[in-house]
Structure formats: structure tokens, C-alpha cells
Amino acid sequence: MKPMRLTFKSGERLYINGAVFRFPQRTTIELLNNAEFLLESQIMQMDETTTPMRQLYYIAQMILTSPTNAKDAQTTFMHFARSLTQSINHYSLCAGLQEVVDMVNSGKTYDAMKKIRELYPLEDSILKGSDLEWSDKPKAESKPSAAPFPMAGGF
């Protein structure tokens, strides 16, 4: 693995395997091996969990930021994802959720969080009632007629 160089401004934080690092001055570090980490800009605060996808992101974040509680956080994540999938009737959002669940099940929580962020605009359009994704197709074709498909990985 090629070392990853990260540069931080004074006061910025880095979360690695549950530990929080704050840099009192501008600092550059090199990660020499694989590590699960989040930059401060990727950390969601509780008051930002205003939609179901943002709540799912927050739970995924807990898997990475609290390794001692990761198993419980992953169980909560799977229950919440299943509940969310069963409560929506939108094929693309369900498909995106399935990708997210598969990533978490395969230990790629960071990638899952990235995918969840990609789903925010779709969720926002659905919540606003505009659902722009299907604007060129009749509504009857845009949504599955059956219940959302089952989730893999122990669902």
C-alpha cells in the first residue's frame, strides 16, 4: 500500500479506530497501512440526523467511531436499514440501500457511508414530492408493485 498523506489545519480532528486526534497546528501525517478513519468534515452530529438516510449514516458512523460498540451498532444499522427498506416504495432508493447493506456486511463501512451521502439528493427529492428521477417515465413503471426485495447478509 502506498502511504496516504493527510494534511490538517490547526484545530482539525481525525478519527481513527475510535481514537480522536486533534492537531494544535497545521500538520501532515502519513498513514502507512490500512486504517478505518473519518475526517472531521465527515462526522455527522446528532442534530443533523433530520432524515432517515442521515439517521442511517449516523448509525454507520457509530460502527467506525466506536469500535467497542461496533457489533451493537452494526445490528442497529441492519435493523434500521431493513425497516427503512420496508417503509419506502422507490426502486432506486431500495437498490441503493441494498448496496449500502452489502458494503457494511463486507466490512466496507466507509464506502457505505459514501454511498449513503450519494443517496441524499434522491431522498430529498422524494421527501419534497418531486421525485425528479422518474420525470421521464410514467409513475406506474417507476415503482415496484411488490414489497421491497429482501436484504442480504442475515436479513
Side-chain angles (χ1 to χ4, degrees), residues 3-99:
M4 180 182 294
R5 293 180 61 96
L6 300 169
T7 301
F8 298 90
K9 297 175 189 171
S10 176
E12 281 190 306
R13 293 185 178 116
L14 172 68
Y15 300 77
I16 300 178
N17 296 335
V20 181
F21 298 86
R22 186 174 55 86
F23 301 97
Q25 59 191 18
R26 184 176 171 87
T27 306
T28 298
I29 65 169
E30 284 187 357
L31 291 177
L32 301 177
N33 62 344
N34 289 329
E36 291 186 340
F37 69 92
L38 290 173
L39 302 174
E40 185 172 11
S41 64
Q42 298 166 324
I43 295 290
M44 180 175 286
Q45 300 302 316
M46 181 65 130
D47 64 342
E48 297 173 299
T49 60
T50 56
T51 68
M53 293 304 292
R54 285 167 175 80
Q55 292 166 1
L56 189 66
Y57 181 94
Y58 187 81
I59 299 167
Q61 171 183 293
M62 296 306 295
I63 296 170
L64 290 183
T65 60
S66 184
T68 56
N69 298 318
K71 185 174 179 162
D72 290 339
Q74 186 164 353
T75 299
T76 301
F77 179 91
M78 293 302 167
H79 287 294
F80 190 80
R82 181 184 328 122
S83 175
L84 185 55
T85 301
Q86 291 172 349
S87 69
I88 59 174
N89 190 22
H90 193 283
Y91 181 80
S92 292
L93 193 54
C94 285
L97 281 170
Q98 180 63 54
E99 285 182 59

Side-chain angles (χ1 to χ4, degrees), residues 104-147:
V104 169
N105 280 331
S106 63
K108 298 177 181 174
T109 305
Y110 180 84
D111 293 335
M113 292 171 67
K114 185 176 171 182
K115 178 65 179 179
I116 292 169
R117 287 192 305 268
E118 291 173 9
L119 293 171
Y120 288 170
L122 176 57
E123 178 191 41
D124 291 343
S125 73
I126 292 168
L127 291 173
K128 290 177 184 171
S130 60
D131 193 5
L132 299 175
E133 178 175 317
W134 303 111
S135 62
D136 61 338
K137 299 177 186 175
K139 284 287 183 187
E141 293 177 21
S142 67
K143 296 181 180 179
S145 57

